[in-house]
Amino acid sequence: QVELAEFGGGLVQAGDSLRLSCVFSGRTFALYVMSWFRQAPGKERELVATITSGGSTYDADSVKGRFTLSRDHAKNTVYLQMDSLKPEDTAIYYCAAKHISMPTYDYWGQGTQVTVSS
């Protein structure tokens, strides 16, 4: 059973930076695609960024150039570096894992709140 533990949320001002961490356990980390999603109040959950086991990344247009997703296989951890934060980045951020053979995300973290004040 995969478990995901998120860290790093908080309250910051516009223009500040935050780094979210997601620690993966329970299975072979290298066999999982990892992503961050977010959900703002009254809005649907949206994909923020994805990283494959080989390190290829995809970033949503709304965060491109500001957010960077990386993974450390030695620590079974993914990092979402968020720079130049905007108030519209305010949301609960969720880490998710998907086995490379599966079409959907089966494992989710508990979520961490990111609030950006103007």
Side-chain angles (χ1 to χ4, degrees), residues 48-66:
V48 175
T50 297
I51 187 165
T52 68
S53 60
S56 297
T57 58
Y58 160 83
D59 303 320
D61 288 342
S62 57
V63 305
K64 200 161 294 189
R66 301 187 298 121

Side-chain angles (χ1 to χ4, degrees), residues 14 82 97:
M82 306 186 293

